[in-house]
Amino acid sequence: MATHFTLSLSPPKPFKNFTSFTKIPSLHFKKPLFITSIQSPTTPAAPVVQTFWKWLSDQGVVSAKTPAKIGVVPQGLGLVAQRDISRNEVVLEIPKKLWINPDAVAASEIGNVCSGVKPWVSVALFLIREKLKEDSIWRPYLDVLPDCTNSTIFWSEEELAELQGTQLLSTTLGVKSYLQSEFLKVEEEILIPHEQLFPSPITLDDFFWAFGILRSRSFSRLRGQNLVLIPLADLINHSPDITIEDGVYDIKGAGLFSRDLIFSLRSPISVKAGEQVLIQYNLNMSNAELAMDYGFIEVKPDRNMYTLTLQLSESDPFFGDKLDIAETNGLGETADFDIVLGNPLPPTLLPYLRLVAVGGTDAFLLESIFRNTIWGHIELPVSRANEELICRVVRDACKSALSGYPTTIEEDEKLKGEELNPRLEIAVGIRAGEKKVLQQIDQIFKQRESELDELEYYQERRLKDLGLVGEQGEIIFWESK
C-alpha cells in the first residue's frame, strides 16, 4: 500500500505566470516592520523627484491642493499627506493617458510586432524601449523607478544560497528559468527581426528588470484592467497593520459626459498631515509570495506557509478509480495544500490523504456502489492501517524536508536579533517560517498517531449503523427464538 503513496514537500506548486498581477511594490524589511517601501536601496535624487512632480503637474494630475505628495521616507519614496486625510478620502486621481498597459503598447510604434505576445511581455518590452530612449515622454516617470528590488529574482547566487532547503528557492529558480525561456522566444520573434524599432540591444537583465517592475508595481482587479502601471499611485507603500484591502482603488469615469477613465486611489484609514498614506497590498499572500513579488516579508505568523503536494501514483492498481473520485470532488491527480502557521489543516487534506493511501482490505470502498458516498466515508478515519500510513508518510516527509535546511529554527531566531541586510533578513525569516510550519504539521500527525487506538473507523461506524455495536463499542448479540 505504501509504495503507491506519493507525498512531495518540495518544490511547491509551480510558478504561475501573469494571468493576473497583484498590487504594488516594496523593497525594504527593517525592524520594527511598520512600513515597506517600493524603492531601491538608493532613493532617487531630489531633482529627479522634482522633475517627476512637475511632469505630473504639467499633465494636470497634481497641484498644490493634491492631498498627498511624494516624500522621502526611511524606506525610500512614498506618498506623504499634505493635510489631514480622512478614511476613504480620494488621495489621487490618475487619468488613462498616463497609464502604461497593453492599450498603450498597442498604440505605440511596437504595437504591431507585440500583438501576438503575452500582455505582460508586451508591456515589459514597452518599458524597456522607453527606458532606452533618451527623449521618451515617460522619462520623468522612468527615472524614479528602482534599478531592482529585493525580490528574490534579483538575488546573487551567494544570497540565494541562504534560501537552501526552502520552497521559495525552488520557486525563484523556476521563475528565473521561465524568464530566460520567455526572453529567448522574444529575442527570436521580435528583437532580432525588428531591431530597428529598438534604440539599442535589449538584454536578459533588461527583461528581468521589467518583469520585476511589473510584478511589484502593477495594479490588478480593476474594471477591464488586469495589468496596468499607474505612475505616482505606485509609490504608495504597504503597512502590515492595515487590514482593509477592498475598495482602496478603482476605475471610474472622468465625468458625466466623458468617456475618459480615471484611476482613483483612496486612503483606507485616516492619516494626519506629514504621515505616510499606506495601503494593504494583499492579505492572502504568504511571506514567500511577498518576497518573490515585492522583496519583503512580515513578522505575522499567518504569513508563514508551506505547501504539501500530494499525487496519485499511476502505478497504483486503483489509479483510475481514485482519480475519478478526486475529480468528482474538485481535486485531481496532483493536489496542493497550503498549510498556514497557526491555522487548522485544509479541510480536504485528510480525505485526499486517505484516498491516496486506500488499498488492501480497504479497497472495497473504491467500488462503484460507493462512488457517490465514498468522500463522506474518507472524511472520517477509514481503518487503523490507513490512518497509521498517512501519519507515517507525512511525518517522514516533514523530517526529510527539515533535514534539507542548513540551520535550525533556534539558529535562525538568534540571527534575527542581529543587524542583517534586507535580503539576509528575508532569507532567515522565510526559512524559519517554513520550518515552523513543518514542525506544526509533524506535531499534528504525531498527535494523531497517539490517538489511533481511540479513533472510530469505517467498520465500527458501519456496525453501529446496522445496530450491531453499542454506543460503548460492545458487540450486541441476539438469541434466536
Side-chain angles (χ1 to χ4, degrees):
M1 184 157 58
T3 58
H4 303 299
F5 193 169
T6 303
L7 173 56
S8 170
L9 297 192
S10 185
K13 49 192 170 186
F15 168 65
K16 297 177 181 177
N17 60 21
F18 292 86
T19 53
S20 65
F21 276 71
T22 50
K23 159 66 226 116
I24 311 192
S26 180
L27 266 187
H28 299 313
F29 178 65
K30 299 195 175 185
K31 290 187 270 193
L33 193 153
F34 296 116
I35 299 169
T36 307
S37 168
I38 58 177
Q39 298 307 310
S40 62
T42 303
T43 302
V48 175
V49 175
Q50 292 170 0
T51 299
F52 179 44
W53 187 260
K54 183 179 184 304
W55 178 69
L56 292 167
S57 179
D58 293 342
Q59 298 290 331
V61 174
V62 299
S63 69
K65 295 183 178 180
T66 301
K69 64 180 180 180
I70 304 173
V72 177
V73 296
Q75 298 80 11
L77 294 181
L79 296 180
V80 178
Q82 298 201 72
R83 56 170 174 78
D84 289 355
I85 298 173
S86 59
R87 181 175 178 270
N88 289 330
E89 182 177 347
V90 173
V91 178
L92 297 173
E93 290 188 331
I94 313 294
K96 188 176 181 181
K97 66 179 182 179
L98 290 187
W99 302 355
I100 298 177
N101 60 4
D103 290 340
V105 180
S108 72
E109 294 176 348
I110 63 171
N112 288 336
V113 299
C114 289
S115 61
V117 302
K118 297 179 178 69
W120 80 263
V121 173
S122 70
V123 178
L125 291 176
F126 178 87
L127 273 180
I128 297 168
R129 182 175 185 268
E130 295 301 315
K131 186 181 181 184
L132 295 173
K133 289 170 57 180
E134 290 296 329
D135 60 347
S136 171
I137 62 171
W138 298 97
R139 175 57 51 198
Y141 170 60
L142 295 169
D143 283 347
V144 299
L145 293 179
D147 293 330
C148 70
T149 73
N150 279 335
S151 164
T152 52
I153 66 168
F154 296 113
W155 290 20
S156 67
E157 288 188 11
E158 182 180 2
E159 289 166 335
L160 287 174
E162 297 291 342
L163 291 173
Q164 181 182 333
T166 67
Q167 293 190 323
L168 177 56
L169 176 59
S170 300
T171 303
T172 300
L173 296 178
V175 172
K176 291 168 72 74
S177 176
Y178 167 77
L179 288 177
Q180 290 168 352
S181 174
E182 286 294 315
F183 179 73
L184 290 176
K185 287 194 293 183
V186 166
E187 194 174 43
E188 180 182 352
E189 297 172 5
I190 296 177
L191 299 181
I192 294 176
H194 305 284
E195 60 180 348
Q196 74 280 3
L197 292 176
F198 299 90
S200 60
I202 292 177
T203 67
L204 179 61
D205 285 342
D206 295 328
F207 202 61
F208 266 71
W209 170 80
F211 176 92
I213 292 296
L214 292 178
R215 193 74 181 183
S216 64
R217 307 180 80 92
S218 60
F219 288 83
S220 65
R221 296 172 297 172
L222 292 166
R223 183 175 53 178
Q225 299 289 330
N226 289 325
L227 168 56
V228 56
L229 286 174
I230 312 287
L232 183 60
D234 65 358
L235 292 180
I236 196 163
N237 292 324
H238 164 86
S239 169
D241 297 324
I242 294 176
T243 58
I244 301 168
E245 185 176 359
D246 295 332
V248 174
Y249 52 85
D250 198 5
I251 291 176
K252 63 181 185 179
L256 185 60
F257 301 106
S258 174
R259 293 186 177 181
D260 291 338
L261 298 176
I262 288 177
F263 173 88
S264 179
L265 177 68
R266 299 174 181 272
S267 175
I269 60 173
S270 299
V271 181
K272 296 292 185 182
E275 296 178 348
Q276 278 205 72
V277 183
L278 303 164
I279 66 171
Q280 167 64 236
Y281 286 178
N282 193 315
L283 286 167
N284 297 318
M285 293 181 77
S286 68
N287 268 337
E289 292 168 321
L290 291 174
M292 170 65 69
D293 284 359
Y294 307 126
F296 74 92
I297 60 175
E298 288 187 6
V299 296
K300 293 183 178 180
D302 60 3
R303 289 289 194 181
N304 295 309
M305 186 184 77
Y306 202 95
T307 300
L308 295 183
T309 300
L310 293 170
Q311 183 173 359
L312 294 168
S313 172
E314 292 188 9
S315 63
D316 189 326
F318 307 108
F319 172 76
D321 292 322
K322 291 182 179 182
L323 180 59
D324 181 48
I325 293 166
E327 291 177 342
T328 300
N329 290 277
L331 298 166
E333 180 179 348
T334 300
D336 294 317
F337 299 93
D338 296 333
I339 316 297
V340 177
L341 187 62
N343 287 9
L345 296 176
T348 55
L349 173 59
L350 282 174
Y352 194 92
L353 273 168
R354 293 178 182 126
L355 176 66
V356 174
V358 162
T361 58
D362 298 324
F364 70 93
L365 288 170
L366 302 174
E367 295 176 5
S368 57
I369 60 171
F370 290 98
R371 196 54 46 95
N372 295 329
T373 59
I374 183 174
W375 198 259
H377 294 313
I378 60 178
E379 285 182 325
L380 299 170
V382 173
S383 67
R384 195 186 195 287
N386 181 276
E387 205 73 8
E388 186 176 22
L389 174 59
I390 66 173
C391 290
R392 185 175 71 249
V393 171
V394 171
R395 294 198 66 200
D396 286 348
C398 287
K399 291 172 184 174
S400 176
L402 285 166
S403 69
Y405 297 92
T407 57
T408 65
I409 290 179
E410 291 72 25
E411 289 170 333
D412 289 336
E413 294 297 332
K414 184 178 179 181
L415 283 171
K416 286 182 180 181
E418 301 177 6
E419 288 297 324
L420 306 176
N421 70 60
R423 294 184 178 182
L424 179 55
E425 192 155 12
I426 289 170
V428 172
I430 288 291
R431 66 194 192 212
E434 286 193 6
K435 282 179 281 192
K436 287 177 182 177
V437 180
L438 284 167
Q439 286 188 347
Q440 172 182 296
I441 298 168
D442 180 66
Q443 187 59 40
I444 288 172
F445 284 89
K446 179 182 179 181
Q447 179 65 29
R448 199 158 191 84
E449 275 185 328
S450 70
E451 298 169 351
L452 290 175
D453 292 333
E454 303 167 18
L455 297 176
E456 184 178 77
Y457 301 107
Y458 171 80
Q459 293 290 6
E460 187 177 348
R461 295 193 300 272
R462 179 60 176 156
L463 289 173
K464 278 186 177 181
D465 290 341
L466 295 173
L468 300 178
V469 174
E471 290 300 321
Q472 303 303 317
E474 73 279 9
I475 298 177
I476 300 175
F477 296 96
W478 284 271
E479 294 182 2
S480 57
K481 296 182 179 178

PDB file of all heavy atoms in Angstrom, residues 44-72:
ATOM      1  N   PRO A  44      15.999  57.828  -5.438  1.00  0.00           N
ATOM      2  CA  PRO A  44      16.289  58.804  -6.488  1.00  0.00           C
ATOM      3  C   PRO A  44      16.566  60.186  -5.909  1.00  0.00           C
ATOM      4  O   PRO A  44      15.978  60.595  -4.909  1.00  0.00           O
ATOM      5  CB  PRO A  44      15.002  58.801  -7.325  1.00  0.00           C
ATOM      6  CG  PRO A  44      14.410  57.450  -7.096  1.00  0.00           C
ATOM      7  CD  PRO A  44      14.755  57.102  -5.677  1.00  0.00           C
ATOM      8  N   ALA A  45      17.493  60.907  -6.553  1.00  0.00           N
ATOM      9  CA  ALA A  45      17.874  62.229  -6.075  1.00  0.00           C
ATOM     10  C   ALA A  45      16.693  63.191  -6.158  1.00  0.00           C
ATOM     11  O   ALA A  45      15.791  63.039  -6.986  1.00  0.00           O
ATOM     12  CB  ALA A  45      19.050  62.750  -6.902  1.00  0.00           C
ATOM     13  N   ALA A  46      16.725  64.197  -5.300  1.00  0.00           N
ATOM     14  CA  ALA A  46      15.624  65.160  -5.224  1.00  0.00           C
ATOM     15  C   ALA A  46      15.301  65.803  -6.571  1.00  0.00           C
ATOM     16  O   ALA A  46      14.112  65.965  -6.895  1.00  0.00           O
ATOM     17  CB  ALA A  46      15.957  66.218  -4.175  1.00  0.00           C
ATOM     18  N   PRO A  47      16.289  66.214  -7.400  1.00  0.00           N
ATOM     19  CA  PRO A  47      15.932  66.824  -8.685  1.00  0.00           C
ATOM     20  C   PRO A  47      15.091  65.900  -9.575  1.00  0.00           C
ATOM     21  O   PRO A  47      14.194  66.372 -10.281  1.00  0.00           O
ATOM     22  CB  PRO A  47      17.293  67.119  -9.315  1.00  0.00           C
ATOM     23  CG  PRO A  47      18.229  67.264  -8.160  1.00  0.00           C
ATOM     24  CD  PRO A  47      17.739  66.274  -7.145  1.00  0.00           C
ATOM     25  N   VAL A  48      15.375  64.612  -9.540  1.00  0.00           N
ATOM     26  CA  VAL A  48      14.614  63.662 -10.339  1.00  0.00           C
ATOM     27  C   VAL A  48      13.177  63.594  -9.848  1.00  0.00           C
ATOM     28  O   VAL A  48      12.224  63.561 -10.645  1.00  0.00           O
ATOM     29  CB  VAL A  48      15.271  62.265 -10.293  1.00  0.00           C
ATOM     30  CG1 VAL A  48      14.409  61.243 -11.015  1.00  0.00           C
ATOM     31  CG2 VAL A  48      16.656  62.307 -10.907  1.00  0.00           C
ATOM     32  N   VAL A  49      13.010  63.596  -8.540  1.00  0.00           N
ATOM     33  CA  VAL A  49      11.676  63.575  -7.951  1.00  0.00           C
ATOM     34  C   VAL A  49      10.923  64.848  -8.302  1.00  0.00           C
ATOM     35  O   VAL A  49       9.740  64.831  -8.645  1.00  0.00           O
ATOM     36  CB  VAL A  49      11.750  63.379  -6.426  1.00  0.00           C
ATOM     37  CG1 VAL A  49      10.371  63.484  -5.798  1.00  0.00           C
ATOM     38  CG2 VAL A  49      12.383  62.033  -6.093  1.00  0.00           C
ATOM     39  N   GLN A  50      11.615  65.980  -8.232  1.00  0.00           N
ATOM     40  CA  GLN A  50      11.001  67.259  -8.569  1.00  0.00           C
ATOM     41  C   GLN A  50      10.593  67.305 -10.036  1.00  0.00           C
ATOM     42  O   GLN A  50       9.525  67.834 -10.381  1.00  0.00           O
ATOM     43  CB  GLN A  50      11.967  68.401  -8.238  1.00  0.00           C
ATOM     44  CG  GLN A  50      12.214  68.577  -6.746  1.00  0.00           C
ATOM     45  CD  GLN A  50      13.345  69.536  -6.446  1.00  0.00           C
ATOM     46  OE1 GLN A  50      13.960  70.092  -7.358  1.00  0.00           O
ATOM     47  NE2 GLN A  50      13.640  69.726  -5.159  1.00  0.00           N
ATOM     48  N   THR A  51      11.424  66.755 -10.892  1.00  0.00           N
ATOM     49  CA  THR A  51      11.096  66.711 -12.316  1.00  0.00           C
ATOM     50  C   THR A  51       9.857  65.855 -12.555  1.00  0.00           C
ATOM     51  O   THR A  51       8.985  66.213 -13.367  1.00  0.00           O
ATOM     52  CB  THR A  51      12.284  66.137 -13.119  1.00  0.00           C
ATOM     53  OG1 THR A  51      13.421  66.973 -12.943  1.00  0.00           O
ATOM     54  CG2 THR A  51      11.946  66.044 -14.610  1.00  0.00           C
ATOM     55  N   PHE A  52       9.773  64.753 -11.858  1.00  0.00           N
ATOM     56  CA  PHE A  52       8.600  63.875 -11.973  1.00  0.00           C
ATOM     57  C   PHE A  52       7.340  64.615 -11.518  1.00  0.00           C
ATOM     58  O   PHE A  52       6.298  64.553 -12.169  1.00  0.00           O
ATOM     59  CB  PHE A  52       8.840  62.615 -11.133  1.00  0.00           C
ATOM     60  CG  PHE A  52       7.707  61.626 -11.134  1.00  0.00           C
ATOM     61  CD1 PHE A  52       7.044  61.292 -12.313  1.00  0.00           C
ATOM     62  CD2 PHE A  52       7.300  61.025  -9.950  1.00  0.00           C
ATOM     63  CE1 PHE A  52       6.000  60.370 -12.310  1.00  0.00           C
ATOM     64  CE2 PHE A  52       6.254  60.109  -9.931  1.00  0.00           C
ATOM     65  CZ  PHE A  52       5.608  59.788 -11.120  1.00  0.00           C
ATOM     66  N   TRP A  53       7.434  65.309 -10.389  1.00  0.00           N
ATOM     67  CA  TRP A  53       6.265  66.040  -9.870  1.00  0.00           C
ATOM     68  C   TRP A  53       5.839  67.144 -10.841  1.00  0.00           C
ATOM     69  O   TRP A  53       4.647  67.368 -11.059  1.00  0.00           O
ATOM     70  CB  TRP A  53       6.590  66.636  -8.503  1.00  0.00           C
ATOM     71  CG  TRP A  53       5.396  67.254  -7.815  1.00  0.00           C
ATOM     72  CD1 TRP A  53       5.073  68.576  -7.762  1.00  0.00           C
ATOM     73  CD2 TRP A  53       4.374  66.559  -7.112  1.00  0.00           C
ATOM     74  NE1 TRP A  53       3.914  68.750  -7.057  1.00  0.00           N
ATOM     75  CE2 TRP A  53       3.458  67.526  -6.640  1.00  0.00           C
ATOM     76  CE3 TRP A  53       4.131  65.221  -6.815  1.00  0.00           C
ATOM     77  CZ2 TRP A  53       2.321  67.213  -5.899  1.00  0.00           C
ATOM     78  CZ3 TRP A  53       3.004  64.883  -6.074  1.00  0.00           C
ATOM     79  CH2 TRP A  53       2.109  65.869  -5.633  1.00  0.00           C
ATOM     80  N   LYS A  54       6.825  67.850 -11.426  1.00  0.00           N
ATOM     81  CA  LYS A  54       6.500  68.904 -12.397  1.00  0.00           C
ATOM     82  C   LYS A  54       5.826  68.316 -13.622  1.00  0.00           C
ATOM     83  O   LYS A  54       4.874  68.897 -14.177  1.00  0.00           O
ATOM     84  CB  LYS A  54       7.765  69.657 -12.796  1.00  0.00           C
ATOM     85  CG  LYS A  54       7.494  70.839 -13.753  1.00  0.00           C
ATOM     86  CD  LYS A  54       8.762  71.576 -14.108  1.00  0.00           C
ATOM     87  CE  LYS A  54       8.425  72.798 -14.964  1.00  0.00           C
ATOM     88  NZ  LYS A  54       7.660  72.483 -16.198  1.00  0.00           N
ATOM     89  N   TRP A  55       6.312  67.154 -14.060  1.00  0.00           N
ATOM     90  CA  TRP A  55       5.698  66.461 -15.210  1.00  0.00           C
ATOM     91  C   TRP A  55       4.243  66.131 -14.911  1.00  0.00           C
ATOM     92  O   TRP A  55       3.356  66.347 -15.740  1.00  0.00           O
ATOM     93  CB  TRP A  55       6.503  65.207 -15.507  1.00  0.00           C
ATOM     94  CG  TRP A  55       5.989  64.352 -16.625  1.00  0.00           C
ATOM     95  CD1 TRP A  55       5.991  64.660 -17.956  1.00  0.00           C
ATOM     96  CD2 TRP A  55       5.413  63.044 -16.508  1.00  0.00           C
ATOM     97  NE1 TRP A  55       5.459  63.619 -18.687  1.00  0.00           N
ATOM     98  CE2 TRP A  55       5.092  62.612 -17.831  1.00  0.00           C
ATOM     99  CE3 TRP A  55       5.154  62.184 -15.453  1.00  0.00           C
ATOM    100  CZ2 TRP A  55       4.518  61.369 -18.086  1.00  0.00           C
ATOM    101  CZ3 TRP A  55       4.592  60.955 -15.706  1.00  0.00           C
ATOM    102  CH2 TRP A  55       4.265  60.559 -16.998  1.00  0.00           C
ATOM    103  N   LEU A  56       4.000  65.632 -13.729  1.00  0.00           N
ATOM    104  CA  LEU A  56       2.630  65.308 -13.324  1.00  0.00           C
ATOM    105  C   LEU A  56       1.769  66.574 -13.253  1.00  0.00           C
ATOM    106  O   LEU A  56       0.596  66.571 -13.637  1.00  0.00           O
ATOM    107  CB  LEU A  56       2.620  64.612 -11.962  1.00  0.00           C
ATOM    108  CG  LEU A  56       3.234  63.213 -11.906  1.00  0.00           C
ATOM    109  CD1 LEU A  56       3.446  62.780 -10.456  1.00  0.00           C
ATOM    110  CD2 LEU A  56       2.353  62.205 -12.632  1.00  0.00           C
ATOM    111  N   SER A  57       2.374  67.666 -12.782  1.00  0.00           N
ATOM    112  CA  SER A  57       1.664  68.932 -12.699  1.00  0.00           C
ATOM    113  C   SER A  57       1.319  69.462 -14.092  1.00  0.00           C
ATOM    114  O   SER A  57       0.209  69.927 -14.340  1.00  0.00           O
ATOM    115  CB  SER A  57       2.516  69.961 -11.944  1.00  0.00           C
ATOM    116  OG  SER A  57       1.847  71.205 -11.865  1.00  0.00           O
ATOM    117  N   ASP A  58       2.280  69.349 -15.008  1.00  0.00           N
ATOM    118  CA  ASP A  58       2.051  69.787 -16.387  1.00  0.00           C
ATOM    119  C   ASP A  58       0.943  68.980 -17.056  1.00  0.00           C
ATOM    120  O   ASP A  58       0.241  69.486 -17.943  1.00  0.00           O
ATOM    121  CB  ASP A  58       3.334  69.668 -17.209  1.00  0.00           C
ATOM    122  CG  ASP A  58       4.404  70.643 -16.758  1.00  0.00           C
ATOM    123  OD1 ASP A  58       4.065  71.627 -16.070  1.00  0.00           O
ATOM    124  OD2 ASP A  58       5.591  70.415 -17.084  1.00  0.00           O
ATOM    125  N   GLN A  59       0.790  67.725 -16.620  1.00  0.00           N
ATOM    126  CA  GLN A  59      -0.250  66.861 -17.169  1.00  0.00           C
ATOM    127  C   GLN A  59      -1.602  67.101 -16.494  1.00  0.00           C
ATOM    128  O   GLN A  59      -2.594  66.476 -16.847  1.00  0.00           O
ATOM    129  CB  GLN A  59       0.139  65.385 -16.989  1.00  0.00           C
ATOM    130  CG  GLN A  59       1.416  64.971 -17.704  1.00  0.00           C
ATOM    131  CD  GLN A  59       1.262  64.946 -19.213  1.00  0.00           C
ATOM    132  OE1 GLN A  59       0.169  64.719 -19.719  1.00  0.00           O
ATOM    133  NE2 GLN A  59       2.354  65.189 -19.929  1.00  0.00           N
ATOM    134  N   GLY A  60      -1.616  67.996 -15.525  1.00  0.00           N
ATOM    135  CA  GLY A  60      -2.861  68.304 -14.836  1.00  0.00           C
ATOM    136  C   GLY A  60      -3.274  67.267 -13.807  1.00  0.00           C
ATOM    137  O   GLY A  60      -4.433  67.223 -13.391  1.00  0.00           O
ATOM    138  N   VAL A  61      -2.322  66.445 -13.360  1.00  0.00           N
ATOM    139  CA  VAL A  61      -2.627  65.350 -12.432  1.00  0.00           C
ATOM    140  C   VAL A  61      -2.512  65.798 -10.986  1.00  0.00           C
ATOM    141  O   VAL A  61      -3.276  65.357 -10.125  1.00  0.00           O
ATOM    142  CB  VAL A  61      -1.697  64.151 -12.706  1.00  0.00           C
ATOM    143  CG1 VAL A  61      -1.900  63.058 -11.667  1.00  0.00           C
ATOM    144  CG2 VAL A  61      -1.930  63.616 -14.100  1.00  0.00           C
ATOM    145  N   VAL A  62      -1.557  66.671 -10.684  1.00  0.00           N
ATOM    146  CA  VAL A  62      -1.341  67.120  -9.317  1.00  0.00           C
ATOM    147  C   VAL A  62      -1.295  68.644  -9.274  1.00  0.00           C
ATOM    148  O   VAL A  62      -1.092  69.314 -10.280  1.00  0.00           O
ATOM    149  CB  VAL A  62      -0.036  66.547  -8.726  1.00  0.00           C
ATOM    150  CG1 VAL A  62      -0.084  65.039  -8.680  1.00  0.00           C
ATOM    151  CG2 VAL A  62       1.178  67.043  -9.520  1.00  0.00           C
ATOM    152  N   SER A  63      -1.463  69.158  -8.060  1.00  0.00           N
ATOM    153  CA  SER A  63      -1.372  70.597  -7.833  1.00  0.00           C
ATOM    154  C   SER A  63      -1.023  70.807  -6.369  1.00  0.00           C
ATOM    155  O   SER A  63      -0.835  69.854  -5.603  1.00  0.00           O
ATOM    156  CB  SER A  63      -2.705  71.279  -8.159  1.00  0.00           C
ATOM    157  OG  SER A  63      -3.697  70.908  -7.196  1.00  0.00           O
ATOM    158  N   ALA A  64      -0.969  72.047  -5.970  1.00  0.00           N
ATOM    159  CA  ALA A  64      -0.664  72.350  -4.565  1.00  0.00           C
ATOM    160  C   ALA A  64      -1.755  71.838  -3.635  1.00  0.00           C
ATOM    161  O   ALA A  64      -1.522  71.655  -2.432  1.00  0.00           O
ATOM    162  CB  ALA A  64      -0.493  73.849  -4.390  1.00  0.00           C
ATOM    163  N   LYS A  65      -2.943  71.580  -4.183  1.00  0.00           N
ATOM    164  CA  LYS A  65      -4.060  71.114  -3.365  1.00  0.00           C
ATOM    165  C   LYS A  65      -4.176  69.588  -3.317  1.00  0.00           C
ATOM    166  O   LYS A  65      -5.051  69.056  -2.645  1.00  0.00           O
ATOM    167  CB  LYS A  65      -5.365  71.705  -3.901  1.00  0.00           C
ATOM    168  CG  LYS A  65      -5.441  73.220  -3.778  1.00  0.00           C
ATOM    169  CD  LYS A  65      -6.790  73.733  -4.265  1.00  0.00           C
ATOM    170  CE  LYS A  65      -6.879  75.257  -4.102  1.00  0.00           C
ATOM    171  NZ  LYS A  65      -8.186  75.790  -4.581  1.00  0.00           N
ATOM    172  N   THR A  66      -3.320  68.893  -4.043  1.00  0.00           N
ATOM    173  CA  THR A  66      -3.353  67.430  -4.009  1.00  0.00           C
ATOM    174  C   THR A  66      -3.124  66.937  -2.578  1.00  0.00           C
ATOM    175  O   THR A  66      -2.173  67.378  -1.919  1.00  0.00           O
ATOM    176  CB  THR A  66      -2.280  66.839  -4.947  1.00  0.00           C
ATOM    177  OG1 THR A  66      -2.513  67.302  -6.275  1.00  0.00           O
ATOM    178  CG2 THR A  66      -2.323  65.310  -4.943  1.00  0.00           C
ATOM    179  N   PRO A  67      -3.972  66.044  -2.060  1.00  0.00           N
ATOM    180  CA  PRO A  67      -3.872  65.635  -0.645  1.00  0.00           C
ATOM    181  C   PRO A  67      -2.534  65.026  -0.247  1.00  0.00           C
ATOM    182  O   PRO A  67      -2.125  65.139   0.903  1.00  0.00           O
ATOM    183  CB  PRO A  67      -4.999  64.609  -0.506  1.00  0.00           C
ATOM    184  CG  PRO A  67      -5.979  64.978  -1.565  1.00  0.00           C
ATOM    185  CD  PRO A  67      -5.170  65.486  -2.708  1.00  0.00           C
ATOM    186  N   ALA A  68      -1.850  64.382  -1.192  1.00  0.00           N
ATOM    187  CA  ALA A  68      -0.566  63.740  -0.862  1.00  0.00           C
ATOM    188  C   ALA A  68       0.488  64.115  -1.891  1.00  0.00           C
ATOM    189  O   ALA A  68       0.182  64.339  -3.057  1.00  0.00           O
ATOM    190  CB  ALA A  68      -0.724  62.229  -0.796  1.00  0.00           C
ATOM    191  N   LYS A  69       1.707  64.189  -1.432  1.00  0.00           N
ATOM    192  CA  LYS A  69       2.824  64.493  -2.325  1.00  0.00           C
ATOM    193  C   LYS A  69       3.895  63.414  -2.180  1.00  0.00           C
ATOM    194  O   LYS A  69       3.847  62.591  -1.258  1.00  0.00           O
ATOM    195  CB  LYS A  69       3.416  65.854  -1.991  1.00  0.00           C
ATOM    196  CG  LYS A  69       4.025  65.922  -0.590  1.00  0.00           C
ATOM    197  CD  LYS A  69       4.607  67.288  -0.304  1.00  0.00           C
ATOM    198  CE  LYS A  69       5.223  67.339   1.104  1.00  0.00           C
ATOM    199  NZ  LYS A  69       5.801  68.663   1.417  1.00  0.00           N
ATOM    200  N   ILE A  70       4.865  63.431  -3.076  1.00  0.00           N
ATOM    201  CA  ILE A  70       5.974  62.485  -2.982  1.00  0.00           C
ATOM    202  C   ILE A  70       6.880  62.907  -1.840  1.00  0.00           C
ATOM    203  O   ILE A  70       7.233  64.081  -1.712  1.00  0.00           O
ATOM    204  CB  ILE A  70       6.785  62.448  -4.291  1.00  0.00           C
ATOM    205  CG1 ILE A  70       5.886  62.131  -5.483  1.00  0.00           C
ATOM    206  CG2 ILE A  70       7.911  61.415  -4.194  1.00  0.00           C
ATOM    207  CD1 ILE A  70       6.596  62.252  -6.816  1.00  0.00           C
ATOM    208  N   GLY A  71       7.257  61.957  -1.015  1.00  0.00           N
ATOM    209  CA  GLY A  71       8.152  62.257   0.085  1.00  0.00           C
ATOM    210  C   GLY A  71       9.231  61.211   0.225  1.00  0.00           C
ATOM    211  O   GLY A  71       9.034  60.041  -0.109  1.00  0.00           O
ATOM    212  N   VAL A  72      10.392  61.633   0.703  1.00  0.00           N
ATOM    213  CA  VAL A  72      11.471  60.701   1.004  1.00  0.00           C
ATOM    214  C   VAL A  72      11.261  60.190   2.416  1.00  0.00           C
ATOM    215  O   VAL A  72      11.207  60.964   3.369  1.00  0.00           O
ATOM    216  CB  VAL A  72      12.845  61.370   0.869  1.00  0.00           C
ATOM    217  CG1 VAL A  72      13.955  60.394   1.261  1.00  0.00           C
ATOM    218  CG2 VAL A  72      13.063  61.868  -0.554  1.00  0.00           C
TER     219      VAL A  72
END
